[in-house]
Structure formats: structure tokens, C-alpha cells
Amino acid sequence: MTPPAAIMQEVAGRLRAAKRVAVLTGAGISAESGVPTFRDALTGLWARFRPEELATPEAFARDPALVWRWYRMRRDMVRAAEPNAGHRALVELPRHVPRFTLITQNVDALHRRAGSTDVVELHGDITRARCAGACPRDTSLLHESEWTERDDGPPLCSRCSAASLRPDVVWFGEMLPPAALERATAEAGACDLFLSVGTSNVVEPAASLPWLAARAGAAVVVVNPDMAGQRSGANIHHLAGPAGTILPQLVRAAFPESPASA
Ligand code: BJW
């Protein structure tokens, strides 16, 4: 699947001219690293669950061992994955664009592992955990190398020993980290080009960011192999295809002089 050359050239020209670029990524950018997308994550033993039954505070309160097991399986998968050409293309972009903001809904930390140094994480990071009880987040936050797994459920918070740990992610019905959401909203409203990559665009408030950008006058570029459900409009461009192919092509077309384009 290749987008028509004329659309690629048009978008590349806009990217080259842009002073301020914001990128929103979703699970699709990590699909080529072997990390299942959020809505594909429930296969095998997990096929009888729906994401909304596992990624909620209610699910964790009802059955913490089940929810922790699901996250443990997904952490193992993320640890085994490597960033792909799509993640790497987004490491290259800030070298060419005067102001660049990378916003992600992903919890897999693959942008950071690819080399992106400033990533606005809207939904947290699956490789971290924090106290599910009353301990403040910043004093109870742990990286996966810092806790010991148990067979019967989530480990206890080592700070209070009263509550268990929970994944440091944002579940349905929970607030997004205010500073991250504020920054993402401000950049969407102020950019001249907004790239929406590998997201089904159904989960709010992230789903509104591209349309906020479009309303503020930015060109919006959607990168996805499946455009069903994506919006269309005068200033919305569809680059249909996998992010691992489309993003490097776009960077090469916009910045042929870049060493990464050689
Ligand atoms: C490729 C590809 C390739 C494949 N290359 N692409 C307004 C209206 C209605 C409801 C709400 C609303 N505002 C808030 C809500 C409630 C709720 C919500 O949005 N519900 C919807 C289901 C309607 N939102 C919330 O609860 C949020 N909190 C909030 O708003 O607080 C205030 C509030 C609360 C309640 C009411 C009102 C206000 C919190 C949302 C937190 C989302 N958390 C999750 C789980 C994170 C932890 C975990 O991973 O377990 O985040 S849900 C899940 O969806 C995950 C993802 O980040 C997120 C987005 O999914 P994404 O990335 O788009 O993945 P997929 O799988 O859906 O799509 C993959 C795409 O990739 C597809 O399009 C493929 O085609 C494509 N693809 N291969 C490029 N190679």
C-alpha cells in the first residue's frame, strides 16, 4: 500500500515549510515492533475479555491479580520489542523542524528507547508502577527493575506496605496527567502541521487533538493503513500505509539533504 506520490510530495512540502509540528502517536506505530495494538491485545487466553474490562480502576479493584497478570504479559512483550523505522523517523524530525512536539498515547516507552528525548506521555508507561493506595505518585513510583513479582497478584507498595502496586498508566475514567494534557493541547492549537500516526482516534481526550489542530488552522496528516473511521476534510491529508514505511519516506521526501535520507 503506497500513498499517491502527489500526496506524499504535498505533505513533504508542508512539513519542510512548517515552523511548528506536533505528532500524536498511537498503538499502530508499535505494531511493526511486534507490540499488538490496544484493540488487538486481547488474543489467546485474554480473548474473552474486552479492554474496557481490564483497563479500568473498577477492574483492578474487583480482581487485582487478573489485571496485574494482563499487564505483566504485556510488559514481557514490550521488553522483547525493539523500536522500528517509524519510531526512528520521529527521532530525526526535530533536527529539521524549528519547534517539534512528540505526543504519545502509547505506554510502551518505544519512542524513548528509539532516542526521542522529549516525549509527552498522555497515558503513562507500562514499565512503571506506583502505589494503588494513598502514597503520592512521585514517592511511590518504581521502574520494573525495582519490584519483585509475586505469583498471587501485584506486589505490595514498599513505601506503605498497606496497598499494592498498580501499573503507572491511565485507565478509562481516570484523569490524564494535567501537565502532559495541557502541553499537548497547547501544541495542537499552535502548530502548523499535525501528524496523527497509528491511532484509531476513539479514546478521548487524545482523539480530539487532531481536530483541535485542524480547527486552529493546521494541516492534519493521518498515517494509518486503515483509514476507516478517520476524518476527512479540506486540510486533512491521508497517507495510507504502515508507519514504519510511510514516516521514513516522508522524512526523506521533506529533507533529502538529511544524513538519515542517504
Ligand atoms: C497502524 C499500523 C501500522 C495498525 N502503522 N498504523 C468524550 C466522549 C465519550 C467518552 C469520553 C469522552 N471523554 C472521556 C471519555 C471517556 C473515555 C473514552 O474516551 N472512552 C472512549 C472509549 C469513548 N476516556 C477516558 O476515560 C480518559 N479520561 C478522561 O477523559 O478523564 C476525564 C473523564 C472521565 C470520564 C468521563 C468524562 C471525562 C482516559 C483514557 C485513558 C485511555 N487509556 C488506555 C489504556 C492505557 C493503559 C493500557 O495500555 O493498558 O490507553 S485505553 C487505550 O486506547 C490505550 C491507548 O493509548 C488508547 C488509544 O488507542 P490507540 O492507540 O488508538 O490504539 P488502537 O488499538 O485503538 O488503534 C490502533 C490503530 O493503529 C488502528 O487505527 C490501526 O489501523 C492502526 N495501525 N497497524 C500505522 N503498522
Side-chain angles (χ1 to χ4, degrees):
M1 188 188 320
T2 318
I7 301 184
M8 179 58 87
Q9 282 311 316
E10 153 99 24
V11 172
R14 285 175 181 271
L15 178 57
R16 195 164 41 240
K19 298 278 178 290
R20 204 158 164 162
V21 173
V23 180
L24 172 69
T25 63
I29 195 169
S30 298
E32 290 156 83
S33 294
V35 180
T37 64
F38 190 75
R39 273 147 201 86
D40 286 339
L42 298 169
T43 53
L45 289 175
W46 299 96
R48 64 197 168 91
F49 297 98
R50 292 185 307 123
E52 295 80 358
E53 291 167 22
L54 293 170
T56 67
E58 293 78 17
F60 189 69
R62 199 167 47 239
D63 194 342
L66 173 79
V67 172
W68 186 264
R69 214 163 50 241
W70 185 51
Y71 279 93
R72 193 170 167 181
M73 176 276 288
R74 290 174 57 209
R75 265 197 308 274
D76 289 346
M77 225 181 254
V78 161
R79 207 180 304 115
E82 293 297 333
N84 64 54
H87 297 105
R88 288 193 294 274
L90 295 179
V91 180
E92 180 62 17
L93 268 188
R95 299 179 185 141
H96 304 284
V97 175
R99 181 154 175 165
F100 177 85
T101 307
L102 177 56
I103 305 158
T104 191
Q105 300 170 80
N106 296 347
V107 295
D108 57 27
L110 286 178
H111 285 302
R112 258 185 289 129
R113 283 177 54 200
S116 288
T117 49
D118 182 17
V119 186
V120 181
E121 288 174 342
L122 293 178
H123 294 163
D125 179 341
I126 203 173
T127 67
R128 300 186 305 240
R130 62 185 157 90
C131 182
C135 295
R137 176 179 176 276
D138 55 345
T139 55
S140 64
L141 196 61
L142 294 174
H143 182 262
E144 61 177 334
S145 58
E146 297 171 297
W147 72 76
T148 308
E149 293 291 353
R150 299 161 40 142
D151 290 335
D152 56 347
L156 273 186
C157 168
S158 51
R159 190 174 183 275
C160 68
S161 304
S164 71
L165 293 179
R166 57 157 285 177
D168 186 38
V169 297
V170 181
W171 283 327
F172 285 112
E174 294 187 318
M175 301 302 288
L176 276 65
L181 181 58
E182 208 170 290
R183 192 168 160 212
T185 308
E187 291 300 331
C191 65
D192 25 61
L193 186 80
F194 189 101
L195 276 166
S196 170
V197 182
T199 173
S200 55
N201 257 314
V202 292
V203 175
E204 297 289 353
S208 292
L209 293 172
W211 323 127
L212 166 68
R215 276 199 307 278
V220 173
V221 180
V222 180
V223 178
N224 201 310
D226 179 2
M227 291 297 171
Q230 302 287 340
R231 288 197 203 180
S232 304
N235 217 7
I236 299 175
H237 309 268
H238 288 176
L239 290 179
T245 305
I246 299 289
L247 291 178
Q249 265 178 19
L250 179 60
V251 172
R252 273 198 303 274
F255 307 106
E257 71 285 4
S258 159
S261 299

mmCIF file of all heavy atoms in Angstrom, residues 33 40 51-52 75 77 93 103 109 112 141 170 181 183-184 189 203 235 255:
data_model
loop_
_atom_site.group_PDB
_atom_site.id
_atom_site.type_symbol
_atom_site.label_atom_id
_atom_site.label_comp_id
_atom_site.label_asym_id
_atom_site.label_seq_id
_atom_site.Cartn_x
_atom_site.Cartn_y
_atom_site.Cartn_z
ATOM 1 N N SER A 33 6.756 -3.330 15.549
ATOM 2 C CA SER A 33 7.748 -3.827 16.516
ATOM 3 C C SER A 33 7.251 -5.106 17.170
ATOM 4 O O SER A 33 7.916 -5.644 18.068
ATOM 5 C CB SER A 33 7.999 -2.767 17.598
ATOM 6 O OG SER A 33 8.612 -1.630 17.051
ATOM 7 N N ASP A 40 -6.045 -5.008 19.578
ATOM 8 C CA ASP A 40 -5.653 -6.370 19.170
ATOM 9 C C ASP A 40 -5.005 -7.131 20.322
ATOM 10 O O ASP A 40 -4.605 -8.287 20.155
ATOM 11 C CB ASP A 40 -4.620 -6.319 18.024
ATOM 12 C CG ASP A 40 -5.274 -5.917 16.712
ATOM 13 O OD1 ASP A 40 -6.504 -6.067 16.602
ATOM 14 O OD2 ASP A 40 -4.543 -5.449 15.816
ATOM 15 N N PRO A 51 -11.082 -4.702 26.364
ATOM 16 C CA PRO A 51 -10.125 -3.800 27.030
ATOM 17 C C PRO A 51 -10.779 -3.024 28.172
ATOM 18 O O PRO A 51 -10.180 -2.824 29.228
ATOM 19 C CB PRO A 51 -9.692 -2.839 25.918
ATOM 20 C CG PRO A 51 -10.125 -3.430 24.639
ATOM 21 C CD PRO A 51 -11.146 -4.489 24.911
ATOM 22 N N GLU A 52 -12.034 -2.628 27.961
ATOM 23 C CA GLU A 52 -12.726 -1.832 28.975
ATOM 24 C C GLU A 52 -12.953 -2.630 30.262
ATOM 25 O O GLU A 52 -13.268 -2.068 31.307
ATOM 26 C CB GLU A 52 -14.074 -1.321 28.455
ATOM 27 C CG GLU A 52 -13.975 -0.331 27.299
ATOM 28 C CD GLU A 52 -13.731 -1.015 25.950
ATOM 29 O OE1 GLU A 52 -13.604 -2.261 25.895
ATOM 30 O OE2 GLU A 52 -13.649 -0.283 24.937
ATOM 31 N N ARG A 75 3.951 -6.333 29.587
ATOM 32 C CA ARG A 75 5.311 -5.820 29.884
ATOM 33 C C ARG A 75 6.367 -6.729 29.285
ATOM 34 O O ARG A 75 7.360 -6.268 28.722
ATOM 35 C CB ARG A 75 5.525 -5.726 31.403
ATOM 36 C CG ARG A 75 5.246 -4.358 31.992
ATOM 37 C CD ARG A 75 5.859 -4.200 33.378
ATOM 38 N NE ARG A 75 5.495 -5.275 34.276
ATOM 39 C CZ ARG A 75 4.381 -5.301 35.011
ATOM 40 N NH1 ARG A 75 3.525 -4.308 34.951
ATOM 41 N NH2 ARG A 75 4.123 -6.314 35.803
ATOM 42 N N MET A 77 6.071 -8.516 26.681
ATOM 43 C CA MET A 77 6.054 -8.326 25.229
ATOM 44 C C MET A 77 6.812 -7.042 24.835
ATOM 45 O O MET A 77 7.590 -7.011 23.891
ATOM 46 C CB MET A 77 4.597 -8.188 24.802
ATOM 47 C CG MET A 77 4.220 -8.974 23.605
ATOM 48 S SD MET A 77 2.510 -8.654 23.287
ATOM 49 C CE MET A 77 1.798 -10.146 23.807
ATOM 50 N N LEU A 93 13.060 13.937 12.995
ATOM 51 C CA LEU A 93 12.310 15.167 12.657
ATOM 52 C C LEU A 93 12.719 16.423 13.442
ATOM 53 O O LEU A 93 12.854 17.491 12.837
ATOM 54 C CB LEU A 93 10.809 14.921 12.826
ATOM 55 C CG LEU A 93 10.076 14.443 11.577
ATOM 56 C CD1 LEU A 93 8.573 14.431 11.821
ATOM 57 C CD2 LEU A 93 10.395 15.366 10.402
ATOM 58 N N ILE A 103 3.854 13.692 20.967
ATOM 59 C CA ILE A 103 2.839 13.341 21.975
ATOM 60 C C ILE A 103 2.484 11.869 21.726
ATOM 61 O O ILE A 103 2.219 11.495 20.581
ATOM 62 C CB ILE A 103 1.568 14.200 21.777
ATOM 63 C CG1 ILE A 103 1.907 15.695 21.787
ATOM 64 C CG2 ILE A 103 0.512 13.864 22.817
ATOM 65 C CD1 ILE A 103 0.854 16.567 21.082
ATOM 66 N N ALA A 109 6.968 2.909 25.888
ATOM 67 C CA ALA A 109 8.278 3.583 26.012
ATOM 68 C C ALA A 109 9.182 3.386 24.789
ATOM 69 O O ALA A 109 10.386 3.669 24.862
ATOM 70 C CB ALA A 109 9.012 3.130 27.286
ATOM 71 N N ARG A 112 11.071 6.566 23.533
ATOM 72 C CA ARG A 112 12.283 6.894 24.306
ATOM 73 C C ARG A 112 13.405 5.931 23.975
ATOM 74 O O ARG A 112 14.552 6.326 23.811
ATOM 75 C CB ARG A 112 11.982 6.882 25.804
ATOM 76 C CG ARG A 112 11.811 8.292 26.358
ATOM 77 C CD ARG A 112 11.634 8.296 27.844
ATOM 78 N NE ARG A 112 10.336 7.757 28.217
ATOM 79 C CZ ARG A 112 10.128 6.791 29.110
ATOM 80 N NH1 ARG A 112 11.131 6.223 29.728
ATOM 81 N NH2 ARG A 112 8.913 6.383 29.386
ATOM 82 N N LEU A 141 6.677 5.790 42.907
ATOM 83 C CA LEU A 141 6.901 5.351 41.520
ATOM 84 C C LEU A 141 8.112 4.416 41.414
ATOM 85 O O LEU A 141 9.180 4.702 41.946
ATOM 86 C CB LEU A 141 7.143 6.588 40.652
ATOM 87 C CG LEU A 141 7.034 6.416 39.153
ATOM 88 C CD1 LEU A 141 5.632 5.974 38.757
ATOM 89 C CD2 LEU A 141 7.380 7.738 38.459
ATOM 90 N N VAL A 170 -2.853 5.316 32.554
ATOM 91 C CA VAL A 170 -4.151 5.995 32.748
ATOM 92 C C VAL A 170 -5.264 5.076 32.267
ATOM 93 O O VAL A 170 -5.329 4.720 31.086
ATOM 94 C CB VAL A 170 -4.184 7.333 31.976
ATOM 95 C CG1 VAL A 170 -5.519 8.047 32.208
ATOM 96 C CG2 VAL A 170 -3.023 8.227 32.396
ATOM 97 N N LEU A 181 -1.343 16.801 29.377
ATOM 98 C CA LEU A 181 -2.524 17.144 28.566
ATOM 99 C C LEU A 181 -2.514 18.631 28.190
ATOM 100 O O LEU A 181 -2.827 18.997 27.050
ATOM 101 C CB LEU A 181 -3.810 16.784 29.328
ATOM 102 C CG LEU A 181 -5.106 17.064 28.579
ATOM 103 C CD1 LEU A 181 -5.151 16.304 27.245
ATOM 104 C CD2 LEU A 181 -6.319 16.680 29.437
ATOM 105 N N ARG A 183 0.107 20.543 27.821
ATOM 106 C CA ARG A 183 1.133 20.782 26.790
ATOM 107 C C ARG A 183 0.655 20.268 25.433
ATOM 108 O O ARG A 183 0.811 20.937 24.406
ATOM 109 C CB ARG A 183 2.431 20.081 27.212
ATOM 110 C CG ARG A 183 3.597 20.508 26.383
ATOM 111 C CD ARG A 183 4.912 20.057 26.951
ATOM 112 N NE ARG A 183 5.894 20.083 25.879
ATOM 113 C CZ ARG A 183 6.918 19.269 25.766
ATOM 114 N NH1 ARG A 183 7.134 18.355 26.697
ATOM 115 N NH2 ARG A 183 7.747 19.366 24.748
ATOM 116 N N ALA A 184 0.048 19.087 25.422
ATOM 117 C CA ALA A 184 -0.433 18.509 24.158
ATOM 118 C C ALA A 184 -1.499 19.415 23.544
ATOM 119 O O ALA A 184 -1.491 19.675 22.329
ATOM 120 C CB ALA A 184 -0.999 17.117 24.413
ATOM 121 N N GLY A 189 -2.993 23.281 19.351
ATOM 122 C CA GLY A 189 -3.649 24.547 18.990
ATOM 123 C C GLY A 189 -2.717 25.542 18.321
ATOM 124 O O GLY A 189 -3.184 26.512 17.715
ATOM 125 N N VAL A 203 -10.333 7.253 21.572
ATOM 126 C CA VAL A 203 -10.250 7.467 23.020
ATOM 127 C C VAL A 203 -9.964 8.945 23.312
ATOM 128 O O VAL A 203 -8.945 9.492 22.883
ATOM 129 C CB VAL A 203 -9.178 6.538 23.652
ATOM 130 C CG1 VAL A 203 -9.004 6.841 25.125
ATOM 131 C CG2 VAL A 203 -9.579 5.082 23.459
ATOM 132 N N ASN A 235 -8.407 20.284 4.894
ATOM 133 C CA ASN A 235 -6.997 20.379 5.280
ATOM 134 C C ASN A 235 -6.505 19.109 5.968
ATOM 135 O O ASN A 235 -5.565 19.141 6.756
ATOM 136 C CB ASN A 235 -6.797 21.607 6.178
ATOM 137 C CG ASN A 235 -5.464 22.271 5.890
ATOM 138 O OD1 ASN A 235 -4.764 21.884 4.944
ATOM 139 N ND2 ASN A 235 -5.096 23.240 6.714
ATOM 140 N N PHE A 255 13.198 16.157 3.628
ATOM 141 C CA PHE A 255 14.559 16.595 3.965
ATOM 142 C C PHE A 255 15.577 15.695 3.272
ATOM 143 O O PHE A 255 16.314 14.949 3.924
ATOM 144 C CB PHE A 255 14.751 16.571 5.497
ATOM 145 C CG PHE A 255 13.683 17.328 6.231
ATOM 146 C CD1 PHE A 255 12.687 16.652 6.933
ATOM 147 C CD2 PHE A 255 13.625 18.722 6.185
ATOM 148 C CE1 PHE A 255 11.684 17.343 7.585
ATOM 149 C CE2 PHE A 255 12.615 19.424 6.839
ATOM 150 C CZ PHE A 255 11.641 18.730 7.541
#
